[in-house]
Amino acid sequence: MARAATTADAFNAVAEPQRRRILDALTGGERSVTALAEELELTQPQVSKHLRVLRDVGAVDVREDGRHRLYRLNAEALRPIHDWVRRYERFWSERFARLDSVIEDLKRQDHRDE
Amino acid sequence: MARAATTADAFNAVAEPQRRRILDALTGGERSVTALAEELELTQPQVSKHLRVLRDVGAVDVREDGRHRLYRLNAEALRPIHDWVRRYERFWSERFARLDSVIEDLKRQDHRDE
DNA sequence: TTGACATATTCCCATATCGGCATACGATGA
DNA sequence: TCATCGTATGCCGATATGGGAATATGTCAA
């Protein structure tokens, strides 16, 4: 045993800037490998490899179309990231800060009522 | 040139499961290195190193306290992640799907008005 | 069938990364 | 001052990673 489990999960997939760019591009709809390569100025193997990782974590789906393979976003796979990071929202959001103080007030009131 | 810019950014910092655990623990308030090590069942150097990465991306702050160093969460640094992944919310959320269709309706109405 | 096109895979290289262990460093208390 | 505690860092070994180039695989069109 020598290296941490890199567990090919969504967090890891998305840690790579190029892969984020690919996902961003796919928000515009299906794309072929070549189309992505041109749009993002990457080589074809580069794109294929990154798509492979994204596929493995379920962030994209593929569809055959003649000699093309059309890749499509599957945002569901990003949900765990959203869910995780959302828990930190309260620590920077003014809105949540105000909500917290309201809750504190209610607690204090509860105590007084007892 | 041979490896991608691993650019020590928030995305990378958070790709490591242990580092996420550390951040999660810090939502409970300040912690010393040893306290984190015990709570998460990690070795002290392991914790120190991960905290180093988290510090470098600004996700935690340190405060000296005698021979202890108290680490505190700085969630602001996670905001870019939140902002990025939030853009994908529309692709899985029913709520956003409905909103999208409302917008489509409005667009169609606009065309009719012209 | 053959040739061009689209994509995936493989091999290689350079480097980053994580954990383990030992150790260095700074602060405290006796 | 010295021993101890708390923490950071350095080194090592094993492995993962990303890009580049070449190549394999598959598909369509003539």
Side-chain angles (χ1 to χ4, degrees):
Chain A
M1 161 193 22
R3 207 207 175 164
T6 299
T7 45
D9 61 2
F11 285 93
N12 248 287
V14 150
E16 231 291 322
Q18 307 290 20
R19 285 197 285 266
R20 285 202 298 279
R21 293 183 61 214
I22 291 178
L23 292 176
D24 287 345
L26 290 179
T27 60
E30 280 187 336
R31 293 277 191 286
S32 72
V33 176
T34 312
L36 283 171
E38 277 183 27
E39 186 173 342
L40 306 177
E41 295 191 284
L42 297 173
T43 68
Q44 174 265 312
Q46 234 174 340
V47 174
S48 280
K49 286 175 188 170
H50 284 311
L51 284 171
R52 174 68 161 155
V53 175
L54 292 172
R55 255 195 81 172
D56 286 346
V57 304
V60 299
D61 289 330
V62 211
R63 179 169 77 84
E64 315 258 347
D65 174 45
R67 43 185 153 181
H68 294 250
R69 280 159 138 328
L70 297 179
Y71 282 82
R72 180 166 16 103
L73 180 64
N74 183 359
E76 277 290 339
L78 304 180
R79 218 166 161 165
I81 301 177
H82 185 259
D83 290 345
W84 181 80
V85 79
R86 214 162 62 86
R87 308 208 315 266
Y88 290 85
E89 210 176 353
R90 67 185 306 98
F91 293 102
W92 70 66
S93 161
E94 253 307 309
R95 241 178 81 234
F96 278 105
R98 281 200 301 271
L99 183 58
D100 280 348
S101 76
V102 168
I103 290 170
E104 284 310 308
D105 284 350
L106 290 175
K107 277 184 188 163
R108 271 192 290 278
Q109 211 162 348
D110 260 13
H111 282 290
R112 250 177 274 130
D113 290 350
E114 282 167 7
Chain B
M1 161 192 21
R3 205 201 178 170
T6 300
T7 45
D9 62 1
F11 285 93
N12 248 287
V14 149
E16 232 289 323
Q18 307 290 20
R19 286 197 284 266
R20 286 201 298 279
R21 293 182 58 212
I22 290 178
L23 291 176
D24 288 343
L26 290 178
T27 60
E30 279 187 337
R31 293 277 191 287
S32 73
V33 177
T34 312
L36 283 170
E38 277 184 28
E39 185 172 342
L40 306 177
E41 294 191 284
L42 298 173
T43 67
Q44 174 265 312
Q46 231 175 335
V47 174
S48 279
K49 286 175 189 171
H50 284 312
L51 284 171
R52 173 69 160 154
V53 175
L54 292 172
R55 255 195 79 171
D56 286 346
V57 304
V60 299
D61 289 330
V62 210
R63 179 168 77 84
E64 314 259 347
D65 175 44
R67 44 184 152 183
H68 294 250
R69 280 162 148 281
L70 298 178
Y71 282 83
R72 178 166 17 102
L73 180 66
N74 183 0
E76 277 291 339
L78 303 180
R79 218 166 161 165
I81 302 177
H82 185 260
D83 289 345
W84 181 80
V85 78
R86 214 161 63 85
R87 307 207 315 266
Y88 291 85
E89 210 176 352
R90 67 187 306 100
F91 293 102
W92 70 65
S93 161
E94 253 307 309
R95 240 177 83 234
F96 278 104
R98 282 201 301 273
L99 182 58
D100 281 347
S101 77
V102 168
I103 290 170
E104 283 310 308
D105 283 351
L106 290 175
K107 276 184 188 164
R108 271 191 290 277
Q109 209 161 348
D110 261 11
H111 282 290
R112 250 177 273 130
D113 291 349
E114 283 167 8

